[in-house]
Amino acid sequence: MEEETRKAGDLWSGVVLLALGAYIVFEASRWEYLGADGPGAGFFPTWYGIAMVGLAILLIASHVRQRPSVEKRIAWPRVGRALAVWLALAASVALAKPLGFLLSFALLTFFIVAAMYRRPVKVAASVALAGAAGIYLAFPLALGVSLPVGVFGF
Amino acid sequence: MRIPVHTAALAVLLGMVASQGLAQGFKPTRPIEVVVHTGPGGGSDVLARAIAIMIEKEKLLPVRMQVVNKTGGNAAVAAAYLAEKAGDPHTIGFFTGVWLTTPLISAESRITLRDLTPVARLVLEPAVIAVKADAPFRTLAEFIDAAKKNPGKMKQSGGSNTSRDNVVRQLLQKSAGVRWAYISFPGGGERIAALLGGHVDMMVIEPEEAGEHIRAGTMRVLAQVSESRLPNFPNVPTLKEAGFDVPVVPQVRGVVAPPGIPKQNVEFWEDLFLRLTRTASWRKYIADNQFEDGYQNAAELLKFYDQFTDRMRDILKDAGVKTVR
Amino acid sequence: MEILSGLANGFAVALDPVNLFWCFVGVFLGTVVGILPGLGPPATIAMLLPLTFHMQPAGAIIMLAGIYYGAKYGGSTTSILMNVPGESASVVTCLDGYQMARKGRAGAALGIAAIASFIAGTVGVLGLMLVAPPISRLALSFSSPEYFGLMSLGLALVVLLAGRSIVKALLAALVGLWIASVGTDLFSSTSRFTFGRLELLSGIDFIVVAIGVFALGEVLANMETQEETQLIPVPKGLRNLLPTLQDLKDCRFAFLNGSVLGFLVGALPGGGSTIASFLSYGLEKAVSRRRDQFGTGVIEGVAAPEGANNSETGGALVPLLTLGIPGSGTTAILLAALVLWGFKPGPLFIPENPALFWGLVASMYIGNVMLLILNLPLVPLFAQVLRMPAYVLYPLILGVSMIGVYSVSGSLFDLALLLVFGLLGYLMRKLDYPAAPLILGLALGAGMERALRQSLMMSEGSLAILVSRPISAAMLSLAVVVLLIPFVGRFNAWRVRAIEQE
């Protein structure tokens, strides 16, 4: 049962979670563990922090103990695509304030359609415009949900 | 008595100048944004909407008032939003006690009332000390006695440890030299449920919240936390009358505006809310909700703020809460 | 019988053409609001409050209640079609609902959601009508130790939701607990894990994490390859777009489970539809014969939580109408509305306003029927959404997610958080960490910590309070049983092997 889920990432995620657990326990130690009125702010975090550290060690140990003979290779190009989309998303959120939500969303859509799905520029542009227009009609206009408005006024 | 002509002429002249001055004062041209720190249905939100309706009904403003919910950070987000809107004459905010206490205890919450423009204090919310109807205490003194005999065993339900509920507890504990447990619940409903279910012994509750339970006979009131007896509770002693000389630290609600707005703007708001408090709708609202009219203008509010925060710092220190400002 | 005469009067009120109209307006608006992620009933009701002053109170409460329970019908739509939870309560529906959509059974999922919502919603109203007073008394006897037991039971479900690696599931749940701790501690006012940001002072919004981990994570995972054709098959023919008779038979227990559990959890002040739907899903998985298939697209896994979050509305109205105590966000604003109209909700509300109460109850029966009629025909229509090519569908999902999150708090910071959790969701997928335990930990974490600390304050530090009270002891024992269920299976297999070897 545990075999199928062993991947190269187990080691790294185990390390990260170990670090997180240690950080939690450290922070919790700065707060009150048990006060006059009852358990303090540090009580719960201490315990789940310790649990996290313990389980992370278990994870790392089981990875080290039973290293699979054939390490599954990480398909970096695929991961790269996903991360590129994430970066585009991050850019669109960062630009939402200066450019306005509609424009930054249109740019994001354009990027996804043109760069990720390799559609011709015209298709990408029309999907982007249609999407932005649809959002404008549905949300600020029909439902009164206000969206960030940028320097261009929309 | 005959008024000399020159006095009359002077009066007329002054009147003209004065009305010119008022005419050059601020007049809103856009809908007013009213910032509250709770979500829809929360205390400030409901008050803001009620006030908007009253102002419209009494035709005190030529424009609409629009409630904007900026939740988060125990009022820190709403305060920061107002600070960002510096200089905007069409934005105001409704503050409550939490706007005043959060900056005292959270390093992240940087905007205090002094960083904004105080406008007016509107209401004071009194409270009552309530127990379950079948509790053995008939007076507050009996409860305190029970606490003396069983130190730390009596229980009170309330909000966070910086809320008014705990402030009352700290003051009473100090004055009477006793201790009882305080259990925080995040919502008023849960606090009442804890009391009615017999899991805690007493609570500090707003008279309006308690009203129906008292009427139904499931709750009883031992004392009231106010300077003088509320009209709906003529037979319930105040804390002082019950023998506990503690300061009444009120729960306040008022109006605040973004920093950097011109003096005329502040005066306009002060005047607006003063006129509001004189209307019949307002008096009815106060009576219905069992508030106390606590109108103060901007200068008085600032003084109140300083007094209030100084007192809160002492109380919080006694309660063992770390203050950062 | 008093109830029958009350109900008869109620129907007289509810069947008034004006009130029927408002009922329809309410349920329709509620469905729309539920479909849109982020925008929820509290904000919608708040917006409509000024309008209600020109209406009769009966019509007004009928409409607002319609928005409340109608939203629970719509919430499943984006959960199933796009893995974007429409409401917090619909997060659990994503688990199996979206998987069903990926297998081409979106129509069946949407249909069963509507049917389960109808059945459970009606049971919820029945409960409100018949057993409100005794349930309300029972709910009052429920306090922090019992809540802790309930939350522990919920958290024990992590083990059931574990999938293949229990270690990873537990780690995910612990991360969920950690995220739940971010913010200001209620008891001591200490800021925990706020990294100096004031936006984090009141914690991280559940829906931001849910939409990030589920929806964004899914979209990012799908961006890895360039799928030319539409990836989610949509079968042709109306028959394939609705649940089959076999589906309905499979969901028999789920209907019961969702209805009863949702109502009971809703009646607890401090309960909520998210907890109700998780518990119902967990219970269904625990007793199901095909429990290992949960999470891959099992129809009971949609019916149970969807039913639970609907009957929860009936349950939540119990403390509101019998005690004047609001449970969740929406009941809080309903309380505010009643107060604004001049009523005084409390123990005497029902006896003094029988026409209003019974009119409301009757209208809820009618409203649930309206919603079924409204939603079922829309199912084939909605299923067509999945016909869109990927390059249109995914930007749409991203847009809807971002707007949904932004509309909750109006804060760009929340959008940034959405990005963080989107990346987390993607990484979890790649590294085989199950998302459901994280969401469960987040949903239950804060409540569990509070309940434990409140209990210890009540007992002055003695843990015995958790086992000395009957209800909490029962729940904790159940939690232990649930934790042992997977091991029972393994124990049996071991025993069989041992026997075979002899």
Side-chain angles (χ1 to χ4, degrees):
Chain A
M1 161 164 131
E2 308 277 321
E3 280 69 45
E4 297 121 52
T5 58
R6 190 131 318 107
K7 289 187 180 185
D10 274 14
L11 182 64
W12 297 114
S13 62
V15 168
V16 166
L17 285 168
L18 181 63
L20 177 63
Y23 168 73
I24 291 173
V25 175
F26 171 70
E27 282 285 305
S29 67
R30 294 193 301 124
W31 307 318
E32 201 182 35
Y33 179 77
L34 212 55
D37 281 330
F43 181 75
F44 223 57
T46 304
W47 286 108
Y48 64 70
I50 291 177
M52 205 184 279
V53 167
L55 285 169
I57 292 178
L58 210 69
L59 190 68
I60 297 174
S62 67
H63 173 91
V64 166
R65 253 190 327 117
Q66 287 175 332
R67 201 176 285 256
S69 46
V70 179
E71 293 248 353
K72 265 187 149 161
R73 313 221 57 156
I74 301 176
W76 284 113
R78 296 168 60 127
V79 173
R81 280 176 60 94
L83 290 179
V85 174
W86 187 81
L87 284 170
L89 258 172
S92 97
V93 169
L95 291 171
K97 203 151 182 211
L99 294 181
F101 183 81
L102 290 171
L103 184 56
S104 61
F105 177 74
L107 288 171
L108 173 71
T109 310
F110 183 82
F111 171 77
I112 291 180
V113 180
M116 288 293 122
Y117 285 100
R118 306 280 159 80
R119 297 284 160 175
V121 171
K122 259 206 317 216
V123 175
S126 45
V127 174
L129 280 169
I135 286 179
Y136 178 67
L137 282 171
F139 292 98
L141 227 50
L143 294 166
V145 177
S146 65
L147 296 171
V149 170
V151 291
F152 300 111
F154 57 79
Chain B
M1 152 187 127
R2 285 186 57 224
I3 303 172
V5 175
H6 51 271
T7 315
L10 196 58
V12 170
L13 203 61
L14 279 173
M16 282 168 61
V17 170
S19 65
Q20 278 288 72
L22 277 175
Q24 274 163 5
F26 169 71
K27 222 186 230 116
T29 52
R30 288 201 319 262
I32 306 290
E33 212 182 54
V34 180
V35 178
V36 295
H37 73 280
T38 64
S44 269
D45 175 81
V46 172
L47 179 69
R49 290 180 198 277
I51 287 182
I53 290 170
M54 274 186 263
I55 287 184
E56 197 177 313
K57 193 165 143 209
E58 303 278 351
K59 300 201 193 338
L60 293 170
L61 265 185
V63 294
R64 276 190 318 124
M65 286 178 106
Q66 174 109 328
V67 174
V68 170
N69 305 83
K70 286 286 173 194
T71 59
N74 303 324
V77 171
Y81 178 77
L82 270 181
E84 268 176 40
K85 288 242 165 188
D88 182 359
H90 292 93
T91 304
I92 55 172
F94 277 10
F95 72 86
T96 68
V98 73
W99 290 57
L100 310 179
T101 49
T102 300
L104 295 178
I105 50 168
S106 304
E108 304 91 334
S109 172
R110 279 171 274 270
I111 308 292
T112 70
L113 212 65
R114 274 192 170 272
D115 298 316
L116 302 168
T117 312
V119 170
R121 194 181 75 170
L122 286 179
V123 294
L124 296 173
E125 290 185 0
V128 296
I129 297 186
V131 295
K132 198 167 170 224
D134 54 13
F137 325 108
R138 294 259 133 211
T139 65
L140 184 56
E142 284 180 26
F143 174 81
I144 300 284
D145 271 343
K148 221 172 265 190
K149 291 201 191 81
N150 305 290
K153 284 210 196 312
M154 308 299 288
K155 300 183 269 278
Q156 172 186 355
S157 67
S160 80
N161 67 343
T162 56
S163 68
R164 185 256 296 271
D165 307 350
N166 197 27
V167 167
V168 171
R169 167 179 172 256
Q170 292 293 331
L171 292 170
L172 277 175
Q173 284 187 149
K174 199 167 174 193
S175 148
V178 295
R179 283 208 67 229
W180 64 86
Y182 182 80
I183 306 183
S184 303
F185 290 87
E190 285 183 66
R191 292 171 213 150
I192 297 176
L195 183 70
L196 292 178
H199 308 286
V200 299
D201 301 293
M202 80 83 154
M203 71 181 294
V204 173
I205 183 175
E206 270 85 55
E208 186 55 20
E209 279 186 350
E212 283 304 291
H213 295 281
I214 296 171
R215 200 160 69 94
T218 47
M219 251 193 220
R220 244 188 315 117
V221 174
L222 298 180
Q224 33 185 319
V225 183
S226 57
E227 296 285 353
S228 53
R229 293 199 183 185
L230 297 166
N232 282 38
F233 296 91
N235 300 320
V236 175
T238 65
L239 284 181
K240 210 169 282 202
E241 290 169 353
F244 299 95
D245 193 3
V246 293
V248 174
V249 180
Q251 175 88 292
V252 295
R253 294 190 191 276
V255 188
V256 68
I261 58 175
K263 196 155 172 292
Q264 306 164 327
N265 214 176
V266 182
E267 284 167 1
F268 176 81
W269 292 128
E270 274 181 310
D271 182 62
L272 171 73
F273 285 103
L274 182 59
R275 283 189 289 149
L276 174 68
T277 59
R278 296 216 175 110
T279 63
S281 325
W282 178 256
R283 276 197 289 271
K284 179 170 186 301
Y285 185 76
I286 296 275
D288 282 345
N289 285 284
Q290 305 194 55
F291 290 156
E292 278 175 23
D293 183 22
Y295 180 81
Q296 283 182 339
N297 66 21
E300 293 168 333
L301 172 59
L302 201 55
K303 232 181 3 178
F304 167 79
Y305 168 77
D306 287 332
Q307 280 176 345
F308 180 88
T309 46
D310 282 338
R311 188 174 268 159
M312 274 306 286
R313 274 194 207 94
D314 289 333
I315 293 175
L316 290 172
K317 244 186 275 275
D318 282 340
V321 179
K322 210 168 60 148
T323 52
V324 301
R325 271 183 200 86
Chain C
M1 258 177 59
E2 207 185 285
I3 290 182
L4 282 177
S5 66
L7 193 58
N9 287 334
F11 272 109
V13 171
L15 287 172
D16 184 294
V18 174
N19 292 337
L20 269 179
F21 172 72
W22 290 124
C23 185
F24 180 76
V25 169
V27 300
F28 180 76
L29 266 177
T31 310
V32 171
V33 164
I35 292 177
L36 297 168
L39 192 65
T44 317
I45 293 177
M47 276 195 279
L48 291 172
L49 268 184
L51 259 172
T52 63
F53 283 108
H54 305 291
M55 298 162 61
Q56 294 281 15
I61 192 75
I62 286 174
M63 177 182 77
L64 296 185
I67 297 178
Y68 179 35
Y69 56 86
K72 302 292 178 76
Y73 275 76
S76 52
T77 309
T78 47
S79 308
I80 292 171
L81 293 176
M82 302 179 186
N83 211 27
V84 178
E87 305 284 322
S88 300
S90 310
V91 171
V92 185
T93 312
C94 292
L95 297 176
D96 274 275
Y98 182 65
Q99 297 306 318
M100 282 183 72
R102 304 203 73 185
K103 290 188 185 163
R105 301 207 66 212
L110 290 167
I112 208 75
I115 293 172
S117 299
F118 171 72
I119 295 177
T122 307
V123 169
V125 184
L126 265 170
L128 175 65
M129 183 178 81
L130 293 173
V131 296
I135 289 285
S136 141
R137 275 195 297 274
L138 185 68
L140 281 183
S141 67
F142 225 76
S143 190
S144 309
E146 286 76 28
Y147 276 115
F148 181 72
L150 190 69
M151 306 278 170
S152 305
L153 182 57
L155 214 52
L157 296 174
V158 168
V159 167
L160 282 182
L161 297 175
R164 289 168 304 179
S165 166
I166 289 197
V167 172
K168 289 188 175 176
L170 286 173
L171 280 170
L174 289 172
V175 173
L177 287 183
W178 174 60
I179 299 174
S181 308
V182 173
T184 312
D185 176 40
L186 174 70
F187 302 89
S188 62
S189 299
T190 322
S191 302
R192 297 194 295 189
F193 305 115
T194 53
F195 304 107
R197 308 246 21 160
L198 66 85
E199 296 93 340
L200 291 177
L201 269 182
S202 49
I204 298 180
D205 228 320
F206 175 75
I207 201 73
V208 173
V209 180
I211 294 184
V213 170
F214 279 21
L216 252 67
E218 178 72 19
V219 171
L220 289 173
N222 281 303
M223 287 290 158
E224 281 187 343
T225 60
Q226 183 184 339
E227 295 282 320
E228 289 287 342
T229 53
Q230 149 217 338
L231 10 76
I232 302 176
V234 180
K236 296 200 172 47
L238 196 67
R239 208 170 306 139
N240 290 329
L241 284 170
L242 287 175
T244 64
L245 242 77
Q246 180 60 41
D247 289 331
L248 290 172
K249 268 174 59 183
D250 287 335
C251 293
R252 279 188 334 258
F253 182 74
F255 293 142
L256 181 69
N257 164 9
S259 310
V260 175
L261 202 57
F263 179 76
L264 290 175
V265 174
L268 302 171
S273 43
T274 316
I275 297 172
S277 47
F278 262 116
L279 284 174
S280 181
Y281 182 82
L283 177 63
E284 190 64 26
K285 182 169 178 177
V287 303
S288 167
R289 248 175 295 221
R290 36 184 191 168
R291 83 171 62 110
D292 292 324
Q293 294 177 35
F294 269 66
T296 63
V298 172
I299 199 159
E300 309 89 276
V302 176
E306 272 301 306
N309 71 32
N310 273 73
S311 61
E312 190 268 346
T313 57
L317 288 174
V318 169
L320 178 66
L321 297 175
T322 59
L323 292 173
I325 294 178
S328 60
T330 317
T331 42
I333 191 159
L334 285 175
L335 178 70
L338 284 169
V339 170
L340 269 173
W341 300 329
F343 293 99
K344 292 185 184 291
L348 299 170
F349 178 74
I350 298 180
E352 292 182 348
N353 299 287
L356 195 68
F357 173 71
W358 288 108
L360 175 65
V361 166
S363 80
M364 286 174 76
Y365 286 119
I366 299 175
N368 272 298
V369 172
M370 279 189 193
L371 281 161
L372 188 67
I373 299 177
L374 203 65
N375 279 283
L376 269 184
L378 289 176
V379 161
L381 191 69
F382 281 135
Q384 302 303 318
V385 163
L386 297 177
R387 280 236 180 131
M388 283 195 264
Y391 65 84
V392 175
L393 188 61
Y394 288 131
L396 176 70
I397 296 178
L398 290 175
V400 164
S401 303
M402 290 198 283
I403 294 174
V405 165
Y406 186 77
S407 70
V408 168
S409 61
S411 133
L412 281 172
F413 184 79
D414 275 354
L415 280 181
L417 281 179
L418 180 71
L419 290 176
V420 169
F421 289 110
L423 187 62
L424 179 69
Y426 173 65
L427 289 173
M428 284 174 71
R429 260 182 188 69
K430 296 301 291 179
L431 298 170
D432 244 342
Y433 281 83
L438 181 127
I439 298 293
L440 183 63
L442 177 60
L444 297 182
M448 200 168 154
E449 178 183 15
R450 268 203 305 267
L452 181 63
R453 286 163 76 178
Q454 286 163 350
S455 305
L456 288 175
M457 285 181 195
M458 282 185 192
S459 67
E460 297 160 70
S462 155
L463 279 172
I465 192 175
L466 297 172
V467 290
S468 60
R469 292 158 70 121
I471 305 181
S472 66
M475 300 240 192
L476 285 172
S477 330
L478 258 172
V480 171
V481 167
V482 166
L483 282 168
L484 291 175
I485 287 182
F487 297 107
V488 166
R490 278 204 261 180
F491 180 66
N492 274 333
W494 174 84
R495 265 186 23 179
V496 166
R497 258 196 309 237
I499 293 172
E500 280 173 356
Q501 279 166 5
E502 275 170 16

